[in-house]
Amino acid sequence: MKFTRDRYQQGSLRRVRRANGPDVWEFRFSSYENGVRKQRQLTLSAKKFPSETAVRKKVEALVLRLNSDSPAPAIQEPTLAAVMEVYSREEMRSQMETSSHEGMPDRPKSQQNYRLLMNRHIQPKWGSKVISEIRPHAVELWLKDMPYSPETKRHIKSMLYRLFETAMKRDWFEAQRNPMSLVRVKGRNRIVEKVVLTPEQMLVVRQNLEDPFLLMTELSCYLGLRICEVLGLMWEDFDPTTRTPSIKRSAVDGVVADVKSEASRDVIPLSENFLGFLLRWQQAAPYSEEGWMFRASLRAVRITPEF
């Protein structure tokens, strides 16, 4: 017989004095495993959370998860901060394999950028508000006054859109047209003019660089590789017999992941001259137990987003 809850669980909270050290908060709640009810307790420092309101905000996302099978009207009003915590903990961590066009960041760098958008911009302004209080016109005016490019503002709007989708999917907000779709961001995205080097200019660049940055520049310029693909190269990817390196992975800010797209996965034939570039570095490269082609540069090169 399947056990079902008949009421919304808020949990109990009390402040407990300790003989040594600061007071603590004890938050007690029930969890259900295979239909069996078990009592659990979460202990939080009163020094870090000085008020009951602060504790309630901290455990709000936990309460939402505990009541995920409760009637929707009882849990329609979480704060946006609680939705962000659930999104970060469940959507981003457990569904990395879901493609980004479905709303999930599928690469570590994408996850880092999503957290940056939430923590730097959305949390300070909207985190304490329940989602029904966040109105499209107010968001539009807020974005309009932000000192950022239209492209960055659209990233922030898209993040809000995903958070509302998360809330609607879990019945915390009435399923309807996403309110953030009504927000308009005026202005064109910044157009960055591509710089195409002439052979003469590339020779000047090469004269002012030393390995490993010289070879990294040659790989990017002559083979058209992204810097994350260059940093992801290992010696096992290089076959001197067939004169081919294989593009199998990428590395951003020291985090190794899959290539950005399937079109990036490739085996590239090298000319005799370019083969000499790689053989030159193979003789001088520092030893890497893992076999990285550019071990020392793996964390040295960082890609920082505007927002």
Side-chain angles (χ1 to χ4, degrees):
M1 178 177 179
K2 185 179 179 180
F3 180 85
T4 57
R5 294 187 197 90
D6 56 2
R7 62 179 181 175
Y8 183 73
Q9 181 183 179
Q10 294 282 3
S12 65
L13 181 65
R14 67 170 184 165
R15 185 166 182 153
V16 179
R17 293 188 177 278
R18 288 189 170 178
N20 299 312
D23 296 353
V24 297
W25 294 96
E26 290 183 352
F27 178 70
R28 297 180 178 181
F29 58 94
S30 300
S31 65
Y32 296 85
E33 301 177 9
N34 299 321
V36 179
R37 178 178 176 177
K38 295 186 177 181
Q39 293 297 320
R40 304 293 186 192
Q41 178 175 303
L42 177 65
T43 303
L44 300 170
S45 170
K47 185 176 181 180
K48 185 175 181 180
F49 302 96
S51 66
E52 180 176 345
T53 301
V55 179
R56 288 290 181 186
K57 286 184 178 180
K58 173 64 178 177
V59 301
E60 185 178 14
L62 170 61
V63 172
L64 289 174
R65 291 195 299 275
L66 293 173
N67 293 280
S68 59
D69 60 348
S70 294
I75 52 176
Q76 283 184 340
E77 293 296 315
T79 62
L80 191 64
V83 178
M84 284 190 285
E85 183 173 339
V86 172
Y87 180 87
S88 299
R89 182 172 300 177
E90 299 180 8
E91 302 286 346
M92 290 174 62
R93 293 184 183 181
S94 65
Q95 299 188 31
M96 285 185 63
E97 70 279 3
T98 307
S99 61
S100 58
H101 71 270
E102 294 182 55
M104 298 299 108
D106 58 337
R107 293 164 56 82
K109 186 63 178 180
S110 299
Q111 293 189 38
Q112 178 184 333
N113 291 343
Y114 279 30
R115 289 192 177 93
L116 190 152
L117 289 171
M118 289 187 284
N119 296 336
R120 180 179 294 180
H121 303 297
I122 298 175
Q123 168 67 32
K125 177 65 177 180
W126 307 106
S128 62
K129 294 185 178 295
V130 297
I131 54 178
S132 62
E133 293 177 344
I134 303 174
R135 313 307 299 167
H137 184 59
V139 172
E140 189 169 297
L141 293 177
W142 171 63
L143 289 172
K144 182 179 179 181
D145 291 338
M146 296 184 78
Y148 297 106
S149 68
E151 182 179 8
T152 297
K153 294 178 182 180
R154 290 189 178 97
H155 284 312
I156 297 171
K157 172 196 167 181
S158 296
M159 189 70 250
L160 280 166
Y161 186 98
R162 292 183 179 94
L163 294 172
F164 270 80
E165 292 285 298
T166 299
M168 286 191 285
K169 183 169 68 174
R170 286 166 170 74
D171 293 327
W172 301 336
F173 188 71
E174 181 182 357
Q176 55 179 311
R177 178 183 179 183
N178 193 311
M180 294 302 104
S181 66
L182 301 174
V183 176
R184 296 289 178 264
V185 177
K186 295 183 179 180
R188 296 181 179 179
N189 290 341
R190 180 179 58 185
I191 299 176
V192 180
E193 183 179 354
K194 294 182 179 180
V195 178
V196 180
L197 299 180
T198 65
E200 293 76 15
Q201 290 172 325
M202 185 57 194
L203 287 175
V204 175
V205 171
R206 294 184 75 252
Q207 290 171 2
N208 290 276
L209 291 176
E210 296 181 355
D211 286 328
F213 300 107
L214 172 57
L215 179 57
M216 292 164 64
T217 301
E218 292 167 341
L219 288 167
S220 298
C221 181
Y222 299 140
L223 302 185
L225 300 183
R226 300 181 179 93
I227 183 60
C228 60
E229 295 165 350
V230 172
L231 293 173
L233 286 170
M234 303 182 77
W235 286 116
E236 66 182 32
D237 305 328
F238 172 49
D239 187 342
T241 304
T242 59
R243 300 193 308 202
T244 57
S246 299
I247 311 304
K248 299 179 179 180
R249 70 193 70 80
S250 66
V252 179
D253 295 351
V255 178
V256 180
D258 200 358
V259 290
K260 189 170 184 179
S261 67
E262 278 303 310
S264 303
R265 200 183 307 276
D266 201 1
V267 177
I268 304 175
L270 302 179
S271 66
E272 188 67 37
N273 289 337
F274 205 102
L275 178 64
F277 296 160
L278 279 177
L279 293 176
R280 175 196 73 212
W281 176 240
Q282 193 171 35
Q283 296 299 317
Y287 172 74
S288 168
E289 184 177 352
E290 298 87 354
W292 293 109
M293 195 175 289
F294 302 104
R295 177 183 62 84
S297 305
L298 189 60
R299 291 185 179 274
V301 179
R302 299 188 63 84
I303 303 172
T304 305
E306 176 190 358
F307 45 81

